[in-house]
Amino acid sequence: MMKKYLFLLVAVLFSAAISFAQIRLSSIKVDEWVKKNFSGQGVVIGNIKFKGYPLSTLSYTSSGNILQVQKGLILSTGNSFNVAGYNNSHNQSSTFGDILSPQADPDLAAIVSGKLFDICSVEFDFVPMDNSIQFNYQFGSDEYPEYVDSPYNDVFAFIVSDESSTKNIALIPGTGVPVSINTVNFKLNQDHFIDNNLYKQVVIKRQEPLKSTYRGTLPGRVLRGIGSIFTMNGPVPGDQTVIQADPELLKTLDPNLYRNLRYDGITKKLVAQSYVTPYKKYHLKIVIADVADNIYDSGVFIEDRSLTSKKDVQQPGFVDYPDLSKVIDPNLILQGKTLEEILPANYKKENNKPAEQIVAAVQQAPVPASQPTPATATPVQPKQRSVPAPKPVDVASPAQKKVVLTEPDFDMPNVVILFDFDKSDITEEEMSKLRTAISKYKQVRNQYSINISGHTDNYGSLQYNYALADRRNKAIIHAVSEMLGEKISIPALSKSYTQPVADNSSDTGRQLNRRVELVFIKKK
């Protein structure tokens, strides 16, 4: 009896927890949200423009862990108020335009072919204070799962551009493949996908007409026999295909999600990232649209305060640059001024350098121009790379250099420490490699600083691997502190599996990706 009451209590508490979970939506002026809520550390924003219908863009908060991006802005191809609620329809659709009146967008036209409808976009100029920008998002759609591998794929993109280059940074982590319904779903890149589909297709056949047991007269039986020759066998006109909730599917889904989100599928929390040149003017356009028709809504959730700029020493060709965040007013760059024009004379005098030398130090490693990767209807597989089997190596051996992103032009080489699967403790073999490197570092410590970044393979969720990479970083910092005989602070970035150096589809590749990279930066 006690067990029965305990079970009932747990059931009630579980139901109560679900009832408190919800997505709350609010009308918002998009330019005000971008200005006050999107920009986090190290980014200045200006010249904001919005295109779309007011109801296609709303602010939201998600309680009860419904969404992994729990607060922010949603851009939808339909009425965004329809996003929240019980997922009681397989084809949630709303539109603001007529099917006979497609719209145009030059940036989306470069990414996907097909007529566009219900375009919604927000764009603005920005100035980053460091060499890497990023923000977090999730993408959901009611085109899941029926239209996977079809041309009916709503499109979205995050387009970063300057005066010389344009690129879409809404990419599957570690690849150049755009995130879309055809590239992230229940069949492909499942690690980045959350299924919220309650429905299965069922063909319901109308009951066959009843045959009369009344035999009637002989002429009547003859006429009925003749008529039967012209009666078609098989489904009758009343047959129809319907979609109904599947009890077996319900068992596999998160009740918090399907009780509060009407999209049939959504990506996990993803990171849009791009290398940039500090103190330079860029343009970001966030855009989404229906493709081929104006039905089956999709939406992208942009996380509050997630647009940030950070110094990332893993950038290929990275060269350290001066911090000018307290020296210049980046709003002047938004207005069209160059860095050289706004550097204060007293700063140049104090540093004994003309403006062009300081600007050159900031812009020594410009980001190469690139074009958007086409988001085709057929999933695009990243190119496979052959990776040699790992073996014990010295700090600067050729095999080790295969997993070093950047080989700097000075005596202190970068080092990669490898880890076992799902582990953060350093093996004796890798500890020996680390000791050798730190022993050499002690001799030139006054000339170099250390930065590290932790990485993982792609097993597990993005969030779990961020935490695992962080634990690996902490293990390295602890070991280096012991070797130096003092507790030191080392700048550390947790990269999860977003920057693989080898193919994650093989054991050998995954082993090379489970790593912490130590980058030694020469002091000026």
Side-chain angles (χ1 to χ4, degrees), residues 320-515:
D320 206 1
Y321 49 85
D323 180 4
L324 304 177
S325 59
K326 297 180 181 179
V327 176
I328 64 165
D329 180 2
N331 288 291
L332 296 175
I333 298 177
L334 285 176
Q335 296 168 16
K337 299 287 186 179
T338 65
L339 178 59
E340 186 172 3
E341 290 173 329
I342 65 175
L343 278 171
N346 60 343
Y347 177 81
K348 290 178 282 187
K349 184 177 180 180
E350 289 173 5
N351 287 272
N352 298 315
K353 291 180 181 179
E356 57 268 20
Q357 286 184 286
I358 299 173
V359 172
V362 172
Q363 300 181 343
Q364 269 184 299
V367 180
S370 60
Q371 298 298 323
T373 306
T376 58
T378 303
V380 181
Q381 296 289 355
K383 293 182 179 180
Q384 303 296 311
R385 288 188 281 173
S386 59
V387 181
K391 58 183 180 179
V393 292
D394 294 328
V395 172
S397 73
Q400 179 65 16
K401 290 180 182 178
K402 289 184 181 295
V403 295
V404 177
L405 292 179
T406 306
E407 187 66 20
D409 186 23
F410 46 69
D411 294 334
M412 192 67 206
N414 294 346
V415 179
V416 173
I417 303 299
L418 301 176
F419 289 81
D420 291 335
F421 173 72
D422 200 29
K423 300 292 185 183
S424 58
D425 52 317
I426 307 171
T427 65
E428 183 52 42
E429 180 181 341
E430 297 301 301
M431 189 68 82
S432 176
K433 185 195 306 180
L434 184 61
R435 289 191 193 98
T436 301
I438 298 305
S439 176
K440 185 174 182 180
Y441 169 70
K442 287 180 180 179
Q443 303 172 29
V444 292
R445 186 175 176 182
N446 62 330
Q447 301 176 37
Y448 293 90
S449 60
I450 306 175
N451 282 261
I452 66 173
S453 61
H455 305 259
T456 68
D457 61 31
N458 65 349
Y459 278 178
S461 69
L462 187 69
Q463 289 70 26
Y464 180 85
N465 281 293
Y466 270 125
L468 177 59
D470 184 60
R471 292 196 298 273
R472 289 172 176 169
N473 281 339
K474 289 177 179 177
I476 293 295
I477 293 172
H478 176 74
V480 171
S481 295
E482 288 197 336
M483 293 174 190
L484 294 176
E486 61 180 286
K487 187 174 182 180
I488 64 169
S489 176
I490 300 177
L493 296 173
S494 177
K495 295 288 189 175
S496 187
Y497 49 67
T498 61
Q499 290 186 355
V501 292
D503 181 10
N504 268 311
S505 66
S506 69
D507 290 338
T508 300
R510 285 190 292 271
Q511 184 172 1
L512 291 174
N513 288 329
R514 298 191 291 263
R515 69 197 193 279

Side-chain angles (χ1 to χ4, degrees), residues 214-406:
Y214 175 69
R215 299 191 61 78
T217 63
L218 178 60
R221 292 198 299 272
V222 171
L223 290 174
R224 286 195 297 274
I226 295 172
S228 68
I229 297 174
F230 301 99
T231 301
M232 295 180 64
N233 294 319
V236 297
D239 292 359
Q240 58 181 324
T241 299
V242 300
I243 310 275
Q244 67 180 27
D246 182 352
E248 293 305 313
L249 283 176
L250 284 174
K251 296 176 183 178
T252 66
L253 302 178
D254 179 357
N256 258 344
L257 197 61
Y258 69 70
R259 289 172 185 263
N260 293 281
L261 180 70
R262 288 178 172 165
Y263 291 142
D264 286 347
I266 188 168
T267 69
K268 294 181 180 179
K269 183 176 180 177
L270 299 174
V271 180
Q273 185 271 341
S274 177
Y275 288 122
V276 289
T277 299
Y279 313 109
K280 179 180 176 181
K281 182 178 176 180
Y282 287 88
H283 191 77
L284 174 62
K285 181 177 181 179
I286 299 172
V287 59
I288 189 169
D290 280 325
V291 177
D293 56 31
N294 61 354
I295 57 176
Y296 289 80
D297 293 346
S298 300
V300 60
F301 301 84
I302 308 296
E303 188 170 48
D304 198 90
R305 301 290 180 189
S306 66
L307 177 61
T308 57
S309 178
K310 299 178 181 179
K311 181 176 290 190
D312 187 345
V313 299
Q314 303 302 319
Q315 179 185 10
F318 175 81
V319 177
D320 206 1
Y321 49 85
D323 180 4
L324 304 177
S325 59
K326 297 180 181 179
V327 176
I328 64 165
D329 180 2
N331 288 291
L332 296 175
I333 298 177
L334 285 176
Q335 296 168 16
K337 299 287 186 179
T338 65
L339 178 59
E340 186 172 3
E341 290 173 329
I342 65 175
L343 278 171
N346 60 343
Y347 177 81
K348 290 178 282 187
K349 184 177 180 180
E350 289 173 5
N351 287 272
N352 298 315
K353 291 180 181 179
E356 57 268 20
Q357 286 184 286
I358 299 173
V359 172
V362 172
Q363 300 181 343
Q364 269 184 299
V367 180
S370 60
Q371 298 298 323
T373 306
T376 58
T378 303
V380 181
Q381 296 289 355
K383 293 182 179 180
Q384 303 296 311
R385 288 188 281 173
S386 59
V387 181
K391 58 183 180 179
V393 292
D394 294 328
V395 172
S397 73
Q400 179 65 16
K401 290 180 182 178
K402 289 184 181 295
V403 295
V404 177
L405 292 179
T406 306

